Amino acid sequence: MGKQINSYTDDEIEKCIITRLRTAGCVFAEDETQLLISEARTPDSLAVMVDRRVAGFPLEHIIGWADFCGIRIAVEPGVFVPRRRTEFLVHQAAALAMPGAIVVDLCCGTGAVGTALTVGLGWIELYAIDIDQASVQCARRNVTSVGGNVYEGDLYQPLPTKLRGRVDILVANAPYVPTEAIKLLPQEARKHEARVALDGGTDGLDVQRRVASEAPLWLAPGGHLLVETSQQQTKQTVEIFARNGLTPQVANCDELDATVVIGTSPAL
C-alpha cells in the first residue's frame, strides 16, 4: 500500500487520474499520468495540472517541456509545441550538415530544430528566428543554452547581413495548414498555440513561398533549404523550390507521417 496523500494512496490517485484523462480523450493517459505526477511538486499542484489537461491544455504547456529528439525542450504557454514528426526534419538536415556549419532555423518556435541539430552535430553556428514574441522568449531558453543566437522578426529580416550567401543549412518548419483547415485541428492546437505558427494561408503554402523566394540570397553555393510539408502539398512545394532556382528532392517517413522537401542551391 502506497503512502497516504490527502487520504488516498498513490495507486488510487494514479488510477483516478488515468480515468479522468481517458474520459477527456487522452490517448496516452497512462504515460501522461506518470509525467504529471513526476512534475507536480505538491498534491494541490497535481490537481491543478490534471484539471488543465482535462480542460484541453497541451500537456507540454502544463509540464513546461517537450521530449524532442531525446532532448528536453522548454515549452511555454501559447507557443507551438514541437511534434514528433518534425524529428524527421532534424534527421534530414543533420545528414547534410557538418560540424561548424552555419545553420538558420526560420519559424523556429521553441527553437527545437536548431537546438536538436546543435546537440546532434556538435558545434554549429546557429541562428534562430521567429515573428512571435512569446516563441522568441521560449527559444532563447533553448537555443542560447547550446550557444546559438535568437532573433525576433519576419523571416530573414533580422538576420545579420554578413550571412548572405554563407548559410549551409536553412531549416523552416513554416506553418502549412490552410486557413480553412485550422478549425479541423485538435482543440489543444487550435485554442492554445499561436495562430501565426499554424496558418499557412489559403493553400497553406504562403510562408513557404516567401521562404523559398529569398533562400537563394542567403544559401551558400551547394547549401540546402529544408521544409516540412504534408504529402498532399508535396508537389506544390517542389514546384515552388524549382521556380526559385533550387534543385528539389523529397524525403518521406511513414513511421512519423512526415514529409520533408529539400532544395539545394547551385554549386559554384
Side-chain angles (χ1 to χ4, degrees):
M1 186 73 69
K3 65 182 179 180
Q4 296 288 325
I5 300 180
N6 289 352
S7 78
Y8 291 96
T9 67
D10 290 349
D11 287 345
E12 288 170 335
I13 291 170
E14 183 176 335
K15 289 177 182 177
C16 178
I17 295 172
I18 290 172
T19 299
R20 289 194 65 196
L21 295 185
R22 280 180 179 161
T23 303
C26 298
V27 177
F28 303 105
E30 291 86 352
D31 293 340
E32 292 194 12
T33 296
Q34 291 300 322
L35 280 171
L36 291 168
I37 290 173
S38 67
E39 294 296 318
R41 296 184 178 182
T42 66
D44 286 343
S45 67
L46 175 59
V48 171
M49 292 166 77
V50 172
D51 286 345
R52 293 185 70 208
R53 184 62 182 131
V54 168
F57 286 83
L59 175 68
E60 295 82 1
H61 287 174
I62 297 168
I63 63 175
W65 58 272
D67 183 356
F68 184 77
C69 290
I71 305 163
R72 186 174 286 203
I73 296 292
V75 181
E76 297 177 4
V79 175
F80 181 82
V81 176
R83 273 55 163 177
R84 263 206 78 211
R85 72 165 60 92
T86 306
E87 293 181 0
F88 186 60
L89 176 63
V90 174
H91 299 325
Q92 293 300 305
L96 296 168
M98 299 287 289
I102 295 177
V103 176
V104 171
D105 182 3
L106 289 178
C107 308
C108 70
T110 61
V113 172
T115 300
L117 279 171
T118 305
V119 172
L121 291 170
W123 184 83
I124 60 174
E125 193 173 331
L126 174 63
Y127 301 84
I129 305 102
D130 204 285
I131 197 170
D132 178 62
Q133 186 178 47
S135 296
V136 169
Q137 291 175 351
C138 187
R140 287 199 172 109
R141 294 178 59 189
N142 296 306
V143 172
T144 58
S145 72
V146 294
N149 308 277
V150 182
Y151 300 90
E152 181 179 345
D154 187 14
L155 298 181
Y156 303 94
Q157 176 266 325
L159 276 178
T161 56
K162 67 178 182 180
L163 296 181
R164 282 180 176 259
R166 297 180 56 224
V167 177
D168 300 300
I169 299 290
L170 178 55
V171 290
N173 188 17
Y176 56 89
V177 180
T179 301
E180 283 301 308
I182 297 290
K183 60 188 177 185
L184 304 176
L185 292 176
Q187 173 182 294
E188 57 190 60
R190 190 177 68 251
K191 291 188 175 181
H192 301 291
E193 294 180 324
R195 175 79 177 228
V196 70
L198 302 170
D199 193 341
T202 303
D203 64 356
L205 300 174
D206 283 359
V207 184
Q208 285 188 16
R209 289 188 182 90
R210 294 181 57 212
V211 168
S213 69
E214 288 193 57
L217 299 175
W218 296 92
L219 287 173
H224 307 282
L225 166 64
L226 300 94
V227 301
E228 180 179 292
T229 193
S230 70
Q231 286 191 357
Q232 294 80 8
Q233 295 164 314
T234 300
K235 182 179 178 182
Q236 292 170 281
T237 301
V238 165
E239 291 172 351
I240 290 168
F241 278 31
R243 281 200 301 270
N244 286 281
L246 302 171
T247 302
Q249 64 182 93
V250 179
N252 293 293
C253 177
D254 292 336
E255 179 186 355
L256 295 175
D257 187 27
T259 300
V260 171
V261 177
I262 305 165
T264 304
S265 66
L268 289 177

